[in-house]
Amino acid sequence: MKAEYFGDTAESLQNTTFSKMVGGRIHPRYRFQYSGSIELRENQLLIENWVNIHLQDIVSISCAYDENFSRFTTNYDIRLGFFTKGEPLIIQTRQQTYYLMINWNFFSGFTDNREWFRFIEEKRGKLSST
């Protein structure tokens, strides 16, 4: 499974500048340091230009807004993603917390994050049962 992503860390999102906050509402490339392709393999996420995450290293995974990534981070109220399907995919490992937007759509603000969440959870479940 392969897609395009925008992403950053919790630390970077917490320490962002005002201009990046404003720019991020226009397009994620102005807010997030990392972008490229993401691929889910049997036991890891290959995140181009950034990091590879082994599924067994994931402490928690969610698809929700939080104090680091709100509805306003990449959307404003004219995009449907402001209301639904715009939440970040948050992957926490022992070392870092990653925020991803997978296949973000400029016009709607929707992402494929919920689907990726399910696929990653399924693969993690298979790894832990073997």
Side-chain angles (χ1 to χ4, degrees):
M1 182 171 182
K2 199 169 186 176
E4 297 298 312
Y5 82 94
F6 293 98
D8 220 325
T9 63
E11 182 180 356
S12 181
L13 289 173
Q14 291 166 359
N15 297 314
T16 195
T17 63
F18 179 75
S19 62
K20 282 188 174 186
M21 280 192 255
V22 172
R25 294 174 122 196
I26 298 166
H27 198 283
R29 71 174 170 243
Y30 300 121
R31 179 76 188 262
F32 298 100
Q33 313 183 58
Y34 305 100
S35 64
S37 66
I38 182 170
E39 185 176 356
L40 177 59
R41 294 223 176 138
E42 202 56 42
N43 63 352
Q44 66 180 325
L45 277 171
L46 303 176
I47 306 175
E48 180 184 51
N49 303 319
W50 191 10
V51 67
N52 293 334
I53 301 172
H54 292 274
L55 299 184
Q56 66 267 22
D57 293 339
I58 296 174
V59 174
S60 70
I61 183 169
S62 63
C63 198
Y65 294 112
D66 67 9
E67 67 278 355
N68 296 320
F69 191 114
S70 74
R71 292 181 189 282
F72 298 103
T73 301
T74 58
N75 289 306
Y76 49 94
D77 60 7
I78 65 166
R79 285 193 182 119
L80 294 174
F82 180 82
F83 301 103
T84 182
K85 292 179 72 176
E87 306 94 340
L89 180 64
I90 305 169
I91 299 174
Q92 183 177 357
T93 66
R94 287 174 195 82
Q95 297 81 22
Q96 190 67 261
T97 301
Y98 303 95
Y99 287 75
L100 297 166
M101 297 177 55
I102 300 173
N103 285 341
W104 180 79
N105 182 284
F106 178 81
F107 296 104
S108 68
F110 291 166
T111 68
D112 288 344
N113 289 348
R114 291 178 187 177
E115 287 177 70
W116 277 73
F117 171 81
R118 284 192 300 275
F119 291 133
I120 293 168
E121 282 290 88
E122 284 174 21
K123 288 213 181 264
R124 285 180 69 213
K126 289 177 185 175
L127 284 175
S128 65
S129 66
T130 57

